[in-house]
Amino acid sequence: MVRIRVLVVDDHRIFAESLAAALAAEPDVDVSAAGSGPAALRCLERAVAEGRRFDVLLVDADLGAVAGALPAQREPGSGPPPPGTDGIALVAGVRVTHPGVRTVVLAERDDPRRAAHALQAGASGWVAKDCSLSRLLAVIRGVLREETHLPPALLTGVLRELTAARKHRTDSERLVESLTPREHEVLRCMVAGLGRKDVAARLFLSPHTVRTHMQNVLGKLGVHSTLAAVALARRAGVRPADLAGDVVERSGQLA
């Protein structure tokens, strides 16, 4: 019998333990639980080291959220929340560090926007916390067959959100394409969090020249602040400048 290894990630201890116990009663399921994102990542790393990789993560959408607080509203197409915000950030991290693991988000309520963000982050499913055990098992087994699972009531809203996100990304890509190669390089430095003086030092330009390039970038992108330019650049898929690689390269030159 092929066994499915499941990791439940939820900071509500009673819920996590109850769900883990219910899943463990299945003859083909091995289950563990973690109470936070960092704990979940440690479990994943330990499992890899021991040759016992997890197959599926069940992640609380509101992992680490303050009780009673509502998730911040985000602009369509702005991507998943920043690291540490909630379970969707964990999904995005697992997608990068453990791409073979399927993730399913467990939610208290239906939310098309957050469900769309979860899919963009790499989740294979979004299910209600109060769904039946048989439904949850069907989702777990389905995502292992490369299926994507959403509640039927969310499909229209999620498709609308994903369409809007694609439009925002396309519009952003078009604006970024209007930049010159040097302006694009400056924008990548901005995405990496560098200020004007640091950009000047990295690109061997004067601060005045960098200021002119930054003003041109803002103008061409149609925004009025560095933060807005960085947000647009991220939607367009602009990667930050590789600062570590730059240090290595310069070290090699000095050698």
Side-chain angles (χ1 to χ4, degrees), residues 20-172:
L23 291 171
E26 296 296 312
D28 63 338
V29 177
D30 289 331
V31 61
S32 300
S36 68
L41 293 174
R42 288 194 295 271
C43 286
L44 290 171
E45 293 296 339
R46 186 164 57 248
V48 170
E50 296 173 353
R52 303 180 299 107
R53 298 174 185 270
F54 283 98
D55 301 302
V56 179
L57 256 67
L58 302 179
V59 182
D60 177 20
D62 299 315
L63 186 69
V66 177
L70 293 176
Q73 293 297 311
R74 296 173 63 77
E75 181 182 356
S78 60
T85 299
D86 60 14
I88 299 175
L90 175 61
V91 170
V94 170
R95 180 186 189 181
V96 174
T97 58
H98 301 275
V101 178
R102 301 291 176 262
T103 55
V104 175
V105 177
L106 305 176
E108 293 278 1
R109 58 194 174 278
D110 286 345
D111 185 331
R113 176 168 293 188
R114 297 190 74 211
H117 284 156
L119 295 184
Q120 289 175 310
S124 297
W126 173 284
V127 297
K129 278 192 169 184
D130 60 358
C131 74
S132 66
L133 181 61
S134 61
R135 166 64 180 161
L136 183 57
L137 287 167
V139 171
I140 290 172
R141 294 188 172 105
V143 299
L144 290 175
R145 297 192 296 269
E146 305 296 333
E147 298 172 0
T148 299
H149 283 258
L150 287 170
L154 278 183
L155 286 176
T156 299
V158 168
L159 288 175
R160 185 184 302 117
E161 291 290 337
L162 292 176
T163 300
R166 182 60 222 172
K167 181 180 183 302
H168 275 72
R169 180 178 177 88
T170 301
D171 292 345
S172 300

